[in-house]
Amino acid sequence: MAKKNDSKDKKSNPFNLYWLYGFILTFFLITIFLNPISDTKEITMLQFEQTMLSQGDVQKIVVVNKEVAEIYIKPDRLSEKKFEDVSKKANAQTGPQYIIKIGSIESFESKIDKAQEDIALNEKVGVQYEDRYNWTDSISWLLPLLIIVVFWIFILRRMRMGGMGGSMMNFGKSTAKLSNIDTKSKVTFDDVAGLKEAKVEIMEVVDFLKNPGEYTKLGAKIPKGILLTGPPGTGKTLLARAVAGEAQVPFFSLSGSEFVEMFVGVGASRVRDLFKQAKAKAPSIIFIDEIDAVGRSRDQAKSFQSNDERENTLNQLLAELDGFGANTGVIVLAATNRVDILDKALLRAGRFDRHIYLELPTKIERVEIFNVHLKSIKMDETVDVELLASLTPGFSGADIANICNEAALLAARKKKDVVSQIDFTQARDRVVGGLERSSKIISPKEKLIVAHHEAGHAVTSWHLPHVDSLVKVSIIPRGKSLGAAWYLPEERLIVTKSQFMDQICALLGGRAAEEVIFGEISSGALDDLEKVTKQAYGMVAYYGMDDNIGPLSFYDSSGQYQSMLSKPYSEEMGKQIDKEVHHLITTQYERAKDILTKHKDELKELAQLLLDKEVADKEDLVQILGKRKAKELLKIEE
Ligand code: ADP
């Protein structure tokens, strides 16, 4: 209803304004045209003295504003020939018939006196003075002003109508998109695969809104805010959209960055407006995506730069969250993948009381997510969803959606009618490693090094018990890398010390192979070395896995030390950590070299195969390296 009224107002407005413009314009035109002076003839002083004044034709002289003298001729003389030219004019009878521009009043008066010297006293004409308001003069300053006013009104009206983005007049207004029951999103909970616990929690919220009585009668308070956190692409936004689709209540959604504008005070007023709108439509849900844009911790921001505007917005948000009672029927959903940088005040109970953590999907969940996204894809029976799910550990829902889409695109490029398993595996490789660049030119010598480097990774990991199984080795350049070894990682939540050690050893296998075969090392191991160094520091300084340093962790989950740019340990300890890391890596490097020297023939054979075929798959690996004994050994141990 309110909307309709608005539009009516807008329609009637232009009429009123145009009437006003018209009125002002006619007024000015009338004053200009009706100005009597505009219809009078101008003559010189000399003419006046000789032909009129001295002849006694003049009835009166009126000096207006000390500038112009109006001359009124006696009506009975007007018929004379010399007045022929003025007697036909509209104001001929009433006068004035002539005007004279005068320099100074004194000289004007003396000239008049002189001219009337010979005339009898009672016949003499005196000079009257008058001050008149002159409209024509006013126009000279009124017109520009009027033009400015009209232009200003025009701009304002354009903005209000949304002609210029609609944001200038409404910048304090919330930009939240409202999806009503009738315009609600089409996403339902069925489109959200996995995330069982999160779905239960969030469905409960929808239920709170629908039947608040059931909860409040037992004295329970309905939560005000729910924070969805988790790595990017885990479906936070999707879940919120599903809530909008399922809940039969108005749903306001906007992104945190929309609060932050370059104008001071806009953010706060937007927050106020958003909550006002939501309350008016209660029960309703507000969804703020990427809340970290406004909710960034105030202490952290201070240390480097201060952003008062963001702080004001955050304060307003906190105030609004506190301000509405538990029963007003507004629930705030917010999503972020940087919960660590959020202000603590925002996280406390009473504001965002509930935190729902969305994790990266497990294998079973990945199967479900694949199934959701495969629904719309035409595929043949070769597609093995289970295998795809096991090939994609650590992938988020968004990555999986991306793989499905890439696979369909790849199949379309090959002009196939259906998408098959090979397209999916290629799409996965592409998502992980980047685009294959077969056209990248590598010299034969470099190719030789890359082949031995990759074979080195393969051989070491094959003979190490705690490394994931190897599926494929390739020396086709892809993205930035010149070759790659693909593993089938196990689902695991914790990593043991032996697993860490073996991983480091396998990562160093490439560099070790170069040394064992050529006695010369190359820059190609940069990526591996970076990973190894980070992992080793993690083991020693974070996971407390070093024997000499013991179970100490300098991990800083609060990010305090990071912002202070200092280390949480002494210089002495720093030296010790460096020493242990160095020791750990060199030991593993020697170990890798030992393995490769022992299996030098296999290494050479595999490298040769890679040079011939570019890709070695599982069968090739088994043929050259034999069945993977290491894994069997491990099984017996278990
Ligand atoms: P974020 O957590 O970063 O907000 P989104 O919700 O935007 O992630 O997810 C991006 C895309 O990933 C979604 O549009 C959807 O296609 C896909 N996706 C993520 N999680 C899931 C899931 N659990 N089920 C189905 N699709 C998912």
Side-chain angles (χ1 to χ4, degrees), residues 191-195 231-238 241 337 369 372-373 397-398 401:
D191 297 314
V192 186
L195 309 177
T234 40
K236 297 178 289 291
T237 315
L238 186 73
R241 274 169 48 209
N337 39 37
I369 298 176
V372 166
H373 291 285

Side-chain angles (χ1 to χ4, degrees), residues 177-312:
K177 283 186 279 325
L178 170 70
S179 56
N180 258 319
I181 299 147
D182 23 313
T183 57
K184 68 173 194 228
S185 81
K186 302 278 179 293
V187 181
T188 65
F189 280 137
D190 286 340
D191 297 314
V192 186
L195 309 177
K196 272 202 200 72
E197 297 81 6
K199 271 202 265 185
V200 170
E201 285 255 337
I202 223 142
M203 271 198 247
E204 202 178 52
V205 175
V206 176
D207 202 42
F208 283 146
L209 282 178
K210 283 192 194 152
N211 318 305
E214 299 213 351
Y215 298 88
T216 48
K217 83 177 173 211
L218 296 175
K221 282 204 193 91
I222 291 172
K224 288 180 192 169
I226 291 151
L227 190 65
L228 300 167
T229 64
T234 40
K236 297 178 289 291
T237 315
L238 186 73
L239 199 60
R241 274 169 48 209
V243 174
E246 297 274 339
Q248 296 291 315
V249 295
F251 188 91
F252 296 85
S253 70
L254 83 171
S255 161
S257 59
E258 283 171 59
F259 288 124
V260 190
E261 281 268 359
M262 59 183 197
F263 302 106
V264 178
V266 172
S269 93
R270 280 200 180 150
V271 172
R272 221 173 299 130
D273 192 63
L274 172 68
F275 277 81
K276 203 168 106 196
Q277 282 184 31
K279 270 185 244 177
K281 296 217 171 189
S284 58
I285 296 175
I286 295 175
F287 173 57
I288 306 172
D289 207 354
E290 319 290 352
I291 195 170
D292 43 296
V294 267
R296 185 169 300 216
S297 168
R298 283 168 288 189
D299 322 332
Q300 261 192 18
K302 271 257 166 59
S303 57
F304 288 110
Q305 93 265 28
S306 84
N307 186 340
D308 281 349
E309 172 57 2
R310 182 185 289 134
E311 206 161 294
N312 285 344

